[in-house]
């Protein structure tokens, strides 16, 4: 049985075919000024409200709002009941691109089922703010959920991302430590999911003809995808936690299969080896793979101006590597350029339109930090 990753010490696996990053690159002083905005109980994700306030999810099932100017916080009620434990709990949050008109927010979370089982779910609700710096989720409706529930408590994935068309919702769905669902096209586990903003299947999905969960699938064969973002040219990049060794950065293509659990640059936790991507060219190989792992938990492709040299780079928050891993992207190729240590497991990264970076530390007392040039 796969346990979740605590800290990985693992054998170096020889790279044949795909570029494997085996060592930390430059380690240097932080290239930014870090401002502490607040601290939270196991924060997982953040989203920016139009009034400059920030929504922060806490894993046990709290949704908070913080005003970075005053540091005042408020509570949002009406959050769904979550299955807290292991890697599971309240997870991502995203505003509808037309939030200013419709007040819709989307949340992902580990959902309790019957008999101590659970799975990932995504709900949408209307956020009604109150005068006390908080608010309420109203008309909450589950618009997507895992096709299977399991007793395990890991590998839900469940990052959320909206497309530039303002109406397409992407969900990164983990395989729940069960391996095979990632290759089962009747299951929506271990997949990249593409939906309309109401949870129905949009035109253009590659497996539409089969209906059911199959129609939701854009790409298959991923393990525990914890970051997705578009680059400026509209390519969708995905970062996922691999097994022991073998975290991956992929470009997600329509209909492609990323190979898990048939191929990987890592090996199973019980020591069994796994064929490399190069052994099975029908599976899309990662653009970067990490051995040892970095344990990626979030990612943006930076599009701001405050850190001009990082424009177009992937900025990855890492749990195991305890910092931010910067990956330079040139077209469809990528390479690790820098590892910026932060001394804490880092959970989530987002940017505001002004180019500032906002990151969440993982775990009890995890802080929200604003990063601007020093
Ligand atoms: C998406 O919504 C934003 C904000 O409302 C708007 O500025 C933009 O023009 C919209 N884009 C499309 C493609 O509709
Ligand atoms: C699915 O495919 C059928 C046949 O091509 C098409 O008529 C239908 O609109 C598609 N539905 C979706 C949701 O893409
Ligand atoms: Ca893969």
């Amino acid at each position: 049985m796969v346990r979740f990753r605590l800290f990985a010490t693992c054998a170096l696996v020889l790279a044949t075919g795909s570029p494997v990053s085996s060592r930390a690159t430059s380690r240097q002083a932080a290239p930014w000024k870090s401002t502490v905005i607040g601290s939270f109980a196991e924060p997982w994700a953040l989203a920016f409200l139009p009034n400059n306030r920030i929504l922060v999810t806490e894993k046990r099932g709290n949704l908070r709002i913080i005003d970075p100017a005053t540091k005042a916080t408020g509570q949002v009620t009406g959050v769904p009941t979550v299955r807290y434990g292991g890697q599971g709990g309240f997870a991502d949050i995203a505003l509808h691109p037309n939030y200013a008109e419709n007040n819709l927010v989307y949340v992902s979370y580990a959902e309790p089922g019957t008999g101590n089982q659970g799975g990932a779910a995504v709900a949408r609700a209307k956020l009604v703010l109150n005068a006390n710096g908080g608010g309420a989720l109203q008309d909450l409706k589950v618009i997507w959920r895992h096709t299977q529930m399991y007793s395990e408590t890991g590998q839900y994935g469940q990052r959320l991302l909206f497309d530039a068309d303002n109406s397409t919702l992407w969900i990164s769905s983990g395989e729940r430590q069960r391996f095979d669902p990632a290759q089962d096209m009747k299951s929506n586990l271990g997949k990249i999911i593409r939906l309309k903003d109401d949870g129905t299947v949009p035109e253009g999905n590659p497996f539409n003809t089969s209906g059911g969960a199959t129609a939701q699938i854009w790409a298959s064969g991923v393990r525990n995808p914890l970051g997705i973002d578009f680059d400026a040219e509209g390519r969708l990049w995905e970062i996922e936690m691999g097994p022991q060794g073998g975290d991956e950065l992929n470009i997600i293509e329509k209909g492609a299969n990323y190979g898990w659990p048939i191929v990987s640059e890592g090996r199973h936790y019980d020591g069994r080896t796994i064929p490399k991507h190069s052994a099975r060219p029908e599976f899309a190989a990662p653009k970067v793979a990490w051995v040892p792992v970095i344990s990626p938990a979030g990612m943006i492709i930076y599009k701001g101006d405050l850190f001009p040299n990082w424009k177009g780079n992937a900025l990855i928050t890492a749990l195991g590597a305890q910092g931010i891993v910067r990956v330079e992207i040139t077209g469809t190729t990528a390479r690790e350029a820098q590892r910026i240590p932060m001394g804490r497991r880092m959970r989530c990264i987002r940017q505001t339109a002004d180019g500032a970076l906002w990151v969440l530390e993982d775990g009890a007392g995890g802080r929200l930090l604003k990063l601007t040039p020093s």
Side-chain angles (χ1 to χ4, degrees):
M1 181 83 33
V2 173
R3 292 279 131 228
F4 0 102
R5 176 174 301 160
L6 297 171
F7 195 79
T9 47
C10 59
L12 262 179
V13 181
L14 285 179
T16 54
S18 52
V20 169
S21 176
S22 62
R23 276 264 158 251
T25 44
S26 58
R27 291 179 181 276
Q28 56 200 52
W32 48 54
K33 182 178 99 177
S34 174
T35 307
V36 178
I37 305 298
S39 69
F40 296 87
E42 299 178 273
W44 212 93
L46 65 124
F48 306 104
L49 288 167
N51 62 6
N52 293 324
R53 292 191 289 161
I54 301 175
L55 289 157
V56 178
T57 64
E58 293 178 328
K59 200 170 152 190
R60 277 182 191 272
N62 285 314
L63 181 56
R64 300 169 69 84
I65 298 177
I66 187 161
D67 182 343
T70 63
K71 313 277 199 289
T73 62
Q75 188 76 30
V76 178
T77 59
V79 170
T81 302
V82 306
R83 181 180 190 242
Y84 172 80
Q87 296 171 2
F90 202 23
D92 211 0
I93 184 158
L95 268 56
H96 191 287
N98 303 128
Y99 172 86
E101 293 89 55
N102 61 25
N103 295 129
L104 290 176
V105 300
Y106 292 70
V107 293
S108 67
Y109 55 102
E111 176 188 45
T114 54
N116 193 34
Q117 300 201 320
V122 173
R124 129 181 141 164
K126 188 165 278 217
L127 174 61
V128 179
L129 299 174
N130 64 27
N132 306 321
L137 294 183
Q138 294 183 356
D139 306 325
L140 185 104
K141 185 177 172 227
V142 174
I143 60 163
W144 180 83
R145 54 168 50 103
H146 267 168
T147 44
Q148 297 111 307
M149 289 193 169
Y150 294 115
S151 60
E152 282 85 346
T153 58
Q155 291 167 210
Y156 296 89
Q158 59 187 340
R159 286 280 179 202
L160 305 174
L161 179 68
F162 273 96
D163 216 304
D165 69 6
N166 289 347
S167 61
T168 306
L169 173 65
W170 298 81
I171 304 168
S172 70
S173 172
E175 51 76 288
R176 300 288 281 104
Q177 306 169 261
R178 288 289 180 138
F179 309 96
D180 298 334
Q183 293 294 328
D184 176 357
M185 295 303 282
K186 291 195 163 40
S187 165
N188 60 15
L189 280 68
K191 307 293 183 326
I192 302 299
I193 302 295
R194 179 175 175 267
L195 301 176
K196 288 204 274 198
D197 57 3
D198 62 359
T200 59
V201 173
E203 293 294 323
N205 278 8
F207 308 106
N208 162 30
T209 48
S210 310
T214 312
Q216 305 170 352
I217 298 170
W218 186 259
S220 61
V222 299
R223 186 176 180 272
N224 190 19
L226 284 165
I228 43 174
D229 199 9
F230 288 101
D231 67 21
E233 285 81 47
R235 287 181 210 97
L236 181 61
W237 293 78
E238 173 254 8
I239 187 109
E240 73 182 65
M241 284 217 202
Q244 189 165 339
D247 292 341
E248 296 184 4
L249 178 66
N250 291 296
I251 298 180
I252 298 298
E253 307 268 14
K254 179 176 179 174
N257 186 330
Y258 292 82
W260 179 257
I262 300 168
V263 292
S264 173
E265 301 306 304
R267 57 175 65 209
H268 288 297
Y269 278 96
D270 62 12
R272 279 177 299 135
T273 57
I274 309 171
K276 301 275 178 293
H277 292 81
S278 57
R280 296 286 296 270
E282 71 269 36
F283 298 125
K287 299 301 175 182
V288 182
W290 282 269
V291 181
V293 294
I294 57 171
S295 300
M299 177 182 71
I300 59 165
I301 310 289
Y302 184 67
K303 298 175 185 78
D305 294 318
L306 275 189
F307 298 94
N309 296 335
W310 296 356
K311 212 163 183 143
N313 289 185
L315 302 177
I316 299 159
T317 43
L319 299 173
Q322 299 209 340
I324 291 180
V325 177
R326 183 168 67 84
V327 172
E328 280 176 5
I329 292 175
T330 310
T332 60
T333 64
R335 65 166 196 100
E336 181 178 332
Q338 189 179 10
R339 225 171 255 208
I340 305 162
M342 300 185 78
R344 281 283 299 249
R345 293 159 60 83
M346 300 304 296
R347 172 58 65 181
C348 182
I349 181 165
R350 299 262 150 97
Q351 70 160 95
T352 33
D354 63 3
L357 295 169
W358 303 75
V359 295
L360 286 171
E361 297 172 338
D362 192 50
R367 296 176 300 173
L368 170 61
L369 306 174
K370 180 182 184 184
L371 309 176
T372 51
S374 49

